[in-house]
Amino acid sequence: MTEEEPLERLQKALSRAGVASRRVSEGMIEAGRVTINRRVATVGDRVSVTDRIELDGIPVIRDPDLVHYLLNKPGGGVSTSKEPQNRRTVVDLVSSNERIFPVGRLDADSEGLIILTNDGELTHRLTHPSFGVSKEYLVHVEGVPSRSSLRLLREGVELEDGCTAPANVAMPQDGVMRITIHEGRNRQVRRMCAAIGHPVQRLVRVRIGSIKDPSLRVGTARRLSVEEVRSLYEATTNS
C-alpha cells in the first residue's frame, strides 16, 4: 500500500461492498471475523482499493468492474465465448458492458443454469476439481432405472476416464432422476446414465452450489446478488 492510495474506514468499505451496514460491519470487525491482507482487522483500520478484505475467510468483492450473471441456458446454445462456426453462444444471451466468460460448460444440447462472469478467482474456484462445488441436474432418461442402477450411480460408475465419485440420486418419477455431482468431467452425467443402460433424453442443470432460480425464464439472465456471489465463494471454501 502506498501513501498516494486513498484510504477509507474498513466498516465503510464493507458497507459500500453491500456486506452490511457500517454498524453491523463494525460488530463483525470487533468479533474478529474480518481480515485485511490475511491480518485480523481492528476497528479504526483503513483500507485502500488494493487491500484484500475477507469476512469469515471469504473474499469481499469490491471491484465495481466485476460482474456475475446467472443464465438459464436453452438447448442449442454453445457454452463458449467464441464460436468459429458462428453458432449462438451463451455470451450472446447476456447483455453486459464487460467482457464475460462462461464458468464451466453445459453441452450444446443441455439446458439450465450457467454462470457468466469476469471474476477470475471465482471462475477458478468453481471449475477446479479440488473445490468440488455441487451441481444438481434434472435428467430424463430412456426407460426406468432399477434400484440396482440407482445404487450404482450413487456408489460410482466406471467410465473410460475412471470411476466417478459417489453421487446423490433420487427418482421423483419414472424415467426422471435428480442427480447431484461434485465433479466436472466432460459430459459426465450423460456418460453415467449411458453406462447403466439409460441414455439421456433431456438434461437440465437446476442448481450450482446454493444457487437456483426456477422462476428464471429460459434464454434470460440476471445479475447475481452480493449474497449469492458470497454463497458461491462460501461453497468453494466449505467443499
Side-chain angles (χ1 to χ4, degrees), residues 26-130:
E26 189 170 306
M28 294 175 174
I29 299 168
E30 291 176 336
R33 298 173 57 192
V34 182
T35 61
I36 305 171
N37 302 326
R38 310 296 185 183
R39 170 185 63 81
V40 177
T42 59
V43 175
D45 279 342
R46 293 175 176 269
V47 293
S48 74
V49 294
T50 57
D51 285 319
R52 181 182 177 90
I53 304 173
E54 294 184 353
L55 171 62
D56 298 329
I58 300 170
V60 174
I61 304 300
R62 302 166 61 210
D63 186 344
D65 292 330
L66 290 183
V67 293
H68 309 80
Y69 293 92
L70 182 68
L71 169 69
N72 188 352
K73 174 188 171 300
V78 183
S79 298
T80 59
S81 55
K82 293 183 180 180
E83 218 317 289
Q85 299 179 30
N86 293 320
R87 292 179 295 176
R88 181 178 58 176
T89 74
V90 290
V91 175
D92 296 330
L93 298 173
V94 181
S95 177
S96 175
N97 294 325
E98 305 294 338
R99 188 181 182 190
I100 56 175
F101 302 89
V103 178
R105 283 178 172 267
L106 268 179
D107 303 326
D109 47 354
S110 297
E111 308 164 49
L113 302 182
I114 186 168
I115 293 168
L116 296 97
T117 183
N118 56 358
D119 186 338
E121 180 175 355
L122 182 60
T123 297
H124 171 71
R125 287 170 174 254
L126 291 178
T127 55
H128 196 280
S130 64

Side-chain angles (χ1 to χ4, degrees), residues 179-193:
I179 301 179
T180 301
I181 61 174
H182 297 80
E183 299 176 286
R185 304 190 202 183
N186 184 42
R187 298 177 67 85
Q188 180 174 339
V189 174
R190 291 180 181 275
R191 291 191 291 140
M192 289 170 62
C193 293

